[in-house]
Amino acid sequence: MSTSKTIKSALISVFHKDGLEPIVKKLNELNVTIYSTGGTERFIKDLGVNVIPVEDVTSYPSILGGRVKTLHPKVFGGILNRQDHEGDVAELAEYNIPQIDLVIVDLYPFEKTVASGASEQDIVEKIDIGGISLIRAAAKNFKDTFIVSSMEQYDEFLEVISKNNGETTLAQRKKFAAKSFNVSSHYDTAIFNYFNEDEVVLKTSEQNSKVLRYGENPHQKGYFFGDLEAMFDKLHGKELSYNNLLDVDAAVNLIEEFKGEAPTFAILKHNNACGFAQRDTIKQAYIDALAGDPVSAFGGILIANTEIDADTSNEIHSLFCEVVIAPSFSEEALTILKGKKNRIILVQKEVALPKTTVRTCLNGTLVQDKDNITDKLEDLKYVTNHKPSESELDDLLFASKLCKNTKSNTIILVKNKQLLAGGTGQTSRIDALNQAIEKANSFGFDLNGAVMASDAFFPFPDCVEIADKAGVKSVIQPGGSIKDQLSIDYCNENDLSMVMTGTRHFKH
């Protein structure tokens, strides 16, 4: 038996009518019998095309304010019958059920309604019942029925029927069935996640996907699932890579800590800040951020919390960097930065960031709340005899925000709201501190009067002793060690100040 089928009848019931007109006209040209409901039926009639109301088939009107229109055996029998099954064919004739070869559906916009801030009543009314049932029925019976389940598929479907005069292959029908189950599962996931308040269940579905040049390394395939256009306006440069995206994510999360503050500039490499400064102008913030580690800045990701102007762009332009991100750029700044054809320029939009983090682990998935605590002045516990000065407090909180966004184990050294150096991703806190001190010294920074931030407590006083001998005068750390007093005692004996936040900021 041939697996090719010629479409002779169609049921069309869609929310979005955009792009539907050429399909209706092509079906009419192919002498396809069209059945429809409600607004779609009126749309087809207005095109001057004959259409049979579903009510004429079911002998039942649309009821309950339109909630029930297509949910009827004469509709679903026409879709689900097996045309090579003698019993099914006989029952179609017995009950006067029309054969339906094609179903076109576009579901109520549930997600858009939720995103619009609509009332619960309006959101619930946008849960499609008939449409989702039609999709599942037609997709299940793909051997005989063609299903178009979204307006995004209109163009591709029109091409199929136009090329072959309404004839479809089994492969085409199965392909569109797969698309349909993707649509229906995504739709149900969105509904569940809207209603769910108590179940600890991981249900994710992302329709937008992008094939990346490669993954972390050239031999690995890479994909991004998400809506980058909602997050950024890309103004220039090559496509973002897998590693670019990881660095951009780290940059966005870091700069979020300094939203609304004085001009702040960060330079990141491998997800960690290698340069960071806050100044009266964004140009000076960039210059001082770059001074923190001009070697690592090569090929880095740059991000600012305020508009980048021409003067700043002139400074940036001499540096090879992968990505530059800011809430806006002056026209002259853009002209300068576009001088490097591959440099990626992104305007960051006001978009809420996810509240959870998700990553694969072993043969499963780890999910956690995002670390959404930013250490504040009112959180601090003053544990030493000597109290930090006002400027030291500013630097301590500045360093704490940086520390929170740096790979553990980490130590951050800051002076005058400038990152002097960081020890990142070390297996011991002493190694992290020694790395930071050595790095700061290698770039000529004077650590006298600097402050130190740690992402976790000090189990022994060795770190504060090493920091003291390097010139550090104040320390911020979460506390919580059974031997906290040893570090406190050292600070008291050597005229250092220390504050504790009560919040650990591990980042693995």
Side-chain angles (χ1 to χ4, degrees), residues 446-462:
D446 179 5
L447 289 176
N448 285 303
V451 305
M452 174 175 73
S454 174
D455 60 332
F457 63 62
F458 299 118
F460 303 102
D462 42 16

Side-chain angles (χ1 to χ4, degrees), residues 148-340:
V148 178
S149 55
S150 167
M151 65 180 295
E152 279 75 26
Q153 300 166 17
Y154 288 176
D155 289 344
E156 186 178 357
F157 171 68
L158 181 60
E159 184 179 354
V160 168
I161 59 173
S162 297
K163 279 186 176 180
N164 301 292
N165 293 318
E167 188 174 293
T168 67
T169 66
L170 179 62
Q172 289 168 335
R173 295 192 298 278
K174 190 171 184 179
K175 175 184 176 183
F176 273 75
K179 289 174 181 283
S180 300
F181 284 122
N182 182 27
V183 168
S184 64
S185 62
H186 178 83
Y187 197 76
D188 284 341
T189 295
I191 294 170
F192 170 78
N193 286 334
Y194 170 75
F195 279 97
N196 182 42
E197 295 179 352
D198 303 318
E199 296 285 333
V200 181
V201 175
L202 175 62
K203 284 188 184 294
T204 61
S205 179
E206 181 53 65
Q207 297 286 63
N208 297 316
S209 64
K210 183 179 181 61
V211 178
L212 304 174
R213 297 199 301 273
Y214 49 81
E216 208 161 5
N217 298 290
H219 63 275
Q220 296 169 266
K221 293 181 179 179
Y223 310 90
F224 176 77
F225 292 88
D227 188 0
L228 283 176
E229 291 183 3
M231 189 86 200
F232 303 106
D233 284 328
K234 182 170 176 287
L235 306 181
H236 184 72
K238 61 185 178 181
E239 291 299 311
L240 286 158
S241 70
Y242 183 98
N243 292 331
N244 287 158
L245 288 167
L246 287 174
D247 284 330
V248 167
D249 176 71
V252 166
N253 282 287
L254 173 57
I255 210 69
E256 181 76 8
E257 305 274 359
F258 299 86
K259 188 176 180 180
E261 296 190 15
T264 307
F265 211 106
I267 303 172
L268 289 91
K269 198 73 174 288
H270 297 295
N271 307 162
N272 295 307
C274 59
F276 201 92
Q278 187 175 90
R279 294 293 181 258
D280 292 334
T281 67
I282 198 64
K283 175 184 175 181
Q284 194 59 50
Y286 168 73
I287 290 171
D288 290 348
L290 181 63
D293 188 346
V295 175
S296 296
F298 182 86
I301 306 294
L302 280 56
I303 190 166
N305 71 343
T306 190
E307 181 173 277
I308 292 180
D309 55 24
D311 286 346
T312 310
S313 292
N314 275 320
E315 294 289 337
I316 294 171
H317 192 56
S318 61
L319 174 72
F320 169 71
C321 56
E322 291 276 337
V323 185
V324 184
I325 311 166
S328 59
F329 297 81
S330 72
E331 286 299 320
E332 191 176 350
L334 279 177
T335 300
I336 294 165
L337 292 174
K338 287 179 179 179
K340 299 284 179 69

Side-chain angles (χ1 to χ4, degrees), residues 106-135:
D106 183 70
L107 298 170
Y108 293 160
F110 178 82
E111 288 180 279
K112 287 184 179 179
T113 306
V114 172
S116 72
S119 68
E120 183 174 283
Q121 181 180 347
D122 289 339
I123 290 169
V124 168
E125 286 305 314
K126 287 298 186 290
I127 298 176
D128 206 312
I129 303 301
I132 207 80
S133 301
L134 291 170
I135 287 173

Side-chain angles (χ1 to χ4, degrees), residues 111 145 274 327 347 383 411 425 449 498:
E111 288 180 279
T145 311
C274 59
V347 172
V383 296
I411 292 289
M498 179 185 288

